[in-house]
Amino acid sequence: MEIKEPLNEEQRRRNRRIVFKWSRCLLPAPIIHPIPEFPKPDFNPEDDPNTVFAGTRFKMKILSGVSAGEGLGGCSYHFLLVDVGNKRSAEYRYQALIVTVGVPPFTECGESDFSNEFTTANAIQVDQFTASDCAHESGSAALVSGMRFAFGTSNVTGTRVRTDPSPVSIFAGPSKSLGVESVKTGSFAFIPGTIAVFKG
C-alpha cells in the first residue's frame, strides 16, 4: 500500500495500483543417471562346438574299421578328423567296395595313431569333407600296417579337397592280416552331431 491513510479518491486509486515484479526462476540442475553396466556373459565362441570355423591345418585317425572279402570285398571305417588350428573335431564314416590281394589288412581295425598334420589348399570347415569320390590304399605285414587316404570333392563346397601331402598317410600299428586293399571310389560321410571342441 503506497498511502496508509488515503484522504481522497485519487489517493485511494493509487493504493489500488497493481505492480508486477518479474524475477528469474532457477530450475534445479538435471540429474544424469549413469548407464547401467550389465555383466558380460561368460561365453567364448571358441568353446562352443556349434561354432565351426574354416581352417587349413588338419590331422586324422582311424577309430575303428572292418574289411571283408578276398579279391573283391567291402570296407567300413570310422574316422576322426581334427582341425588343428581351430580345435574342432568331427567323425566320419567311410565305406567302399575294395579290391584285395591276400587277406584284407584291416580285417578288424582298432584305433590308429594320428596322421601327421596336413594342409588344405583352401580353408574348409571340419564338417565339410563329405565326398563320394574318395580313395585309399592300405597294406599290412604282421607288425606294420598303414593307410594312404585321398579326399574327394566336397559335397558342401563343390571343390576337390586338395591336401599337402597327398594322399594322407596313417600308421595303424600291428595287424593280424597280411595283404593289400585299394579303393578308387569310396564314400566319406560326416556323422551328424559329432562336432566337438578338440582338447588334444
Side-chain angles (χ1 to χ4, degrees), residues 73-87:
C75 68
S76 177
Y77 294 99
H78 185 189
F79 280 93
L80 180 69
L81 181 64
V82 176
D83 181 334
V84 177
N86 293 312
K87 296 181 173 57

Side-chain angles (χ1 to χ4, degrees), residues 27-161:
L27 298 175
I31 300 175
I32 301 176
H33 297 281
I35 299 174
E37 293 186 4
F38 297 98
K40 295 181 180 179
D42 187 15
F43 171 76
N44 186 346
E46 292 186 359
D47 296 328
D48 180 10
N50 295 314
T51 303
V52 184
F53 307 94
T56 58
R57 298 167 50 218
F58 298 88
K59 62 182 180 179
M60 65 189 299
K61 71 189 307 184
I62 300 169
L63 295 178
S64 63
V66 61
S67 296
E70 293 186 31
L72 295 177
C75 68
S76 177
Y77 294 99
H78 185 189
F79 280 93
L80 180 69
L81 181 64
V82 176
D83 181 334
V84 177
N86 293 312
K87 296 181 173 57
R88 293 291 183 277
S89 65
E91 297 178 25
Y92 284 80
R93 180 70 63 191
Y94 175 63
Q95 296 177 315
L97 296 177
I98 59 175
V99 176
T100 70
V101 175
V103 179
F106 298 114
T107 304
E108 292 182 4
C109 176
E111 186 170 340
S112 73
D113 294 333
F114 271 111
S115 69
N116 291 330
E117 184 177 313
F118 59 91
T119 60
T120 56
N122 300 306
I124 184 173
Q125 293 178 192
V126 72
D127 58 342
Q128 294 181 336
F129 283 75
T130 294
S132 58
D133 56 346
C134 297
H136 86 271
E137 296 175 347
S138 59
S140 66
L143 297 178
V144 180
S145 61
M147 174 183 284
R148 287 157 49 91
F149 189 89
F151 293 96
T153 301
S154 168
N155 290 358
V156 180
T157 66
T159 58
R160 176 168 288 277
V161 178

